[in-house]
Amino acid sequence: MEPNTVISLIALIFAGLALAISLYESLSNRPKLRIRVSHRIMVGGGVSEKVVVLNAVNVGRQPTTITGMSFGKNKSTTHYFPTEFHAYSEKLPKKINPGEQVDISFIADKKSTFDQETLTLEELLRSKKLKAIVYSSWAKKPKYFEVTE
């Protein structure tokens, strides 16, 4: 092989590597959310209330703004569970930088009709019928997450 051909092949290999690294960086350089659901009891003023806390942690590399959180069955807007924020819940929208989190508290024992059943949010979550739904400024569509406790 001629020296020019060898140099051209080496340059082609390095260009391909640079392209692959650039694509990887552009795809991974975004916010990534980790979602958890927990059951808690809020105590204050001599009153205790059961709440369900939806926690979102930004484990990605870019900040994002959480604009909404809810629960639903699937991607159909007719299958959202009507939820009510607890009075002491954090307010949305909220910007979360990498490593930061937001906790949204929902009233757990308020009954609502969902999928032709009248249950509380807590009962539905324990039955694994709901998914957590998170709206953020980074994504055009809401993200659906399996509920894990």
Side-chain angles (χ1 to χ4, degrees):
M1 261 192 218
E2 291 185 30
N4 287 342
T5 306
V6 173
I7 291 173
S8 296
L9 286 174
I10 292 172
L12 180 64
I13 290 170
F14 279 110
L17 282 170
L19 177 64
I21 291 170
S22 176
L23 284 173
Y24 172 78
E25 283 294 316
S26 68
L27 293 175
S28 66
N29 192 22
R30 61 180 177 82
K32 184 178 177 186
L33 298 175
R34 180 181 302 138
I35 304 299
R36 289 198 179 108
V37 175
S38 61
H39 302 270
R40 298 182 190 163
I41 296 178
M42 293 271 214
V43 179
V47 178
S48 65
E49 287 184 276
K50 288 183 180 179
V51 295
V52 173
V53 178
L54 186 54
N55 169 268
V57 179
N58 184 357
V59 294
R61 295 168 41 181
Q62 291 290 326
T64 189
T65 300
I66 303 296
T67 57
M69 292 177 144
S70 187
F71 295 96
K73 188 173 181 179
N74 55 31
K75 296 182 181 185
S76 167
T77 56
T78 60
H79 284 92
Y80 282 94
F81 183 78
T83 54
E84 185 177 328
F85 292 140
H86 188 271
Y88 296 116
S89 176
E90 290 186 56
K91 305 299 182 217
L92 295 178
K94 182 175 181 184
K95 180 181 178 182
I96 54 175
N97 291 311
E100 293 181 342
Q101 66 182 3
V102 61
D103 287 325
I104 301 299
S105 304
F106 299 93
I107 298 173
D109 52 3
K110 183 175 180 184
K111 291 194 176 229
S112 291
T113 301
F114 178 76
D115 227 10
Q116 300 167 351
E117 293 182 82
T118 301
L119 298 169
T120 65
L121 175 59
E122 186 175 36
E123 292 167 337
L124 277 167
L125 288 172
R126 290 189 195 279
S127 69
K128 305 289 186 195
K129 291 185 179 183
L130 293 181
K131 292 184 178 184
I133 305 167
V134 178
Y135 299 86
S136 71
S137 61
W138 194 268
K140 293 178 183 167
K141 295 181 181 178
K143 298 285 184 186
Y144 291 77
F145 298 90
E146 293 294 324
V147 173
T148 57
E149 298 186 52

